Amino acid sequence: MVENRRTELYVAETVLQLPCFFPSVSSVVKTNIAPAEYIEFLSFSTQPHFLISAYDVASCGSEDRERIKTALGKSKERGAIILMDSGNYEGYWKKDETWKVDDFHKVAGFWENDLCFCYDNHYPPDSAEAIAEDVVTRVIRDQKCARGVVCPIIHGETRFLPESAKKAAEQLFPLLLAVPERELGEGIIERIQTIKRIRKSLNDLETYFPLHLLGTGDPVSIIAYSMAGADSFDGLEWCQRVIDYETGSQADFQHWDLFRHQTNRELPEDFPHKYSVLMHNLDFYAQFMKQLHNAVKNKDTDTVLQQYTTENQASLLIDVIKQ
């Protein structure tokens, strides 16, 4: 049984501090610019780790693909960690049945990536054992084609997640094991309880396996889920909203003027508004995740949660986490 939590993950000769947040890029939701431009911006801003979608790479035009290739190359030269998603998220929500595993393999095998999520199954079996067997088969298959280390994604009914995660982990020994946040339960309380069960199940094994939550970018959720046992996150909040440094809450993208005084970075006067907002948000997540990392190491996460919530909210969440 694992006794100590990991606060570092070694990926591609780089040390990734845990908990960590991967700003993600996806065409599935309405954002302010196209995926190629977001990836260029992440490279320009020297973001040390981020998530891209294999679907978006394959679906864009030749000019955008060349822009993405150049941006990813520059990021790798700086030592950035590139996490590639299978693209099934985009294919699923866009109802694009033409996106197949062979398409994913072409992207994952050619384009830069250090970590790569498997070509996951959005219609999983109806038992923990069958889910784990399906995931293991997919990871082994995909690893033969991917440049990066392939990590499993566990889909399934909430009640199956702890056991299926454990069964997959004990066979694969993954660097990361991912679960979509939306499948953890209906609200933050139920999701915290599910994360606790998954972490307890994983900790029954002899090795600590970091747990990644797909689609989690809200700062309060990141704190609470980290306290419950999650280690890594990705989300689109950084490019959809404006983050309030003081509360971690999110405002409309056009309200950045109300928060620009919080930005420490000196930006040129003619720096485009949309990029100013994105830089503001990336800087928030950088300092926020460093603060959370230090709190986890020092076992002082209650203080961080209390900073970004009201007294009643913090009390409610802490009671659930410590049950």
Side-chain angles (χ1 to χ4, degrees):
M1 178 179 291
V2 174
E3 296 182 0
N4 296 321
R5 179 173 187 168
R6 292 181 63 179
T7 55
E8 292 181 342
L9 183 66
Y10 294 89
V11 181
E13 300 182 349
T14 300
V15 178
L16 184 64
Q17 293 188 334
L18 300 177
C20 69
F21 172 73
F22 289 84
S24 57
V25 177
S26 175
S27 62
V28 81
V29 294
K30 183 179 180 181
T31 51
N32 294 281
I33 52 182
E37 194 171 351
Y38 277 122
I39 294 171
E40 285 182 326
F41 181 78
L42 288 167
S43 177
F44 165 79
S45 63
T46 66
Q47 178 64 28
H49 43 267
F50 54 90
L51 179 149
I52 64 172
S53 167
Y55 180 96
D56 290 339
V57 172
S59 300
C60 65
S62 58
E63 182 178 337
D64 278 355
R65 278 198 295 272
E66 190 61 34
R67 293 169 62 188
I68 292 173
K69 181 181 178 181
T70 300
L72 294 181
K74 290 180 179 178
S75 290
K76 282 307 303 172
E77 288 176 2
R78 300 189 188 100
I81 296 172
I82 298 170
L83 172 57
M84 179 174 286
D85 189 43
S86 69
N88 277 349
Y89 176 78
E90 287 75 19
Y92 177 82
W93 290 108
K94 290 186 174 187
K95 296 179 169 41
D96 184 354
E97 297 181 358
T98 67
W99 180 248
K100 302 296 184 182
V101 66
D102 288 344
D103 302 309
F104 164 59
H105 287 167
K106 290 176 184 177
V107 178
F110 178 77
W111 293 82
E112 293 280 6
N113 63 91
D114 303 295
L115 295 172
C116 183
F117 286 128
C118 69
Y119 187 86
D120 49 325
N121 184 2
H122 281 259
Y123 303 97
D126 58 359
S127 74
E129 185 172 344
I131 291 170
E133 182 179 349
D134 178 63
V135 169
V136 169
T137 300
R138 288 168 179 270
V139 170
I140 293 173
R141 175 201 60 196
D142 296 345
Q143 188 62 77
K144 296 176 182 177
C145 302
R147 293 180 63 169
V149 177
V150 177
C151 301
I153 296 179
I154 310 294
H155 289 283
E157 292 183 35
T158 303
R159 61 194 174 106
F160 293 142
L161 295 178
E163 186 64 19
S164 56
K166 177 182 178 180
K167 288 181 177 296
E170 64 185 348
Q171 295 180 67
L172 293 169
F173 277 73
L175 280 180
L176 280 179
L177 184 144
V179 176
E181 183 192 345
R182 65 181 181 276
E183 295 179 21
L184 295 171
E186 292 299 323
I188 190 169
I189 300 300
E190 185 179 353
R191 293 178 181 188
I192 287 172
Q193 293 168 336
T194 303
I195 293 167
K196 288 181 62 182
R197 289 195 292 270
I198 295 173
R199 173 48 61 203
K200 182 178 184 300
S201 184
L202 290 174
N203 283 358
D204 285 340
L205 304 174
E206 295 182 357
T207 301
Y208 186 92
F209 296 107
L211 175 63
H212 180 93
L213 299 187
L214 297 158
T216 300
D218 176 77
V220 171
S221 294
I222 288 175
I223 299 169
Y225 296 159
S226 293
M227 294 171 69
D231 305 278
S232 178
F233 311 87
D234 73 78
L236 291 161
E237 284 81 355
W238 76 278
C239 62
Q240 293 179 304
R241 310 283 286 171
V242 180
I243 308 295
D244 181 351
Y245 280 32
E246 295 178 2
T247 66
S249 60
Q250 303 163 50
D252 187 273
F253 198 85
Q254 302 306 319
H255 288 180
W256 181 65
D257 292 327
L258 305 178
F259 302 98
R260 66 165 63 225
H261 66 281
Q262 298 175 341
T263 302
N264 296 322
R265 187 189 295 258
E266 291 291 334
L267 298 174
E269 290 186 6
D270 60 348
F271 203 65
H273 180 275
K274 59 185 178 182
Y275 294 142
S276 299
V277 180
L278 297 180
M279 197 72 80
H280 169 95
N281 290 342
L282 288 177
D283 285 348
F284 167 80
Y285 279 106
Q287 63 85 18
F288 170 71
M289 294 310 299
K290 183 177 181 180
Q291 178 187 20
L292 184 57
H293 167 77
N294 291 333
V296 169
K297 286 185 67 174
N298 297 324
K299 296 180 171 51
D300 190 29
T301 49
D302 287 13
T303 300
V304 180
L305 181 64
Q306 290 162 352
Q307 178 181 339
Y308 292 98
T309 57
T310 67
E311 183 177 350
N312 288 338
Q313 290 169 346
S315 178
L316 172 64
L317 294 173
I318 289 171
D319 283 348
V320 174
I321 292 166
K322 293 186 176 180
Q323 283 177 357

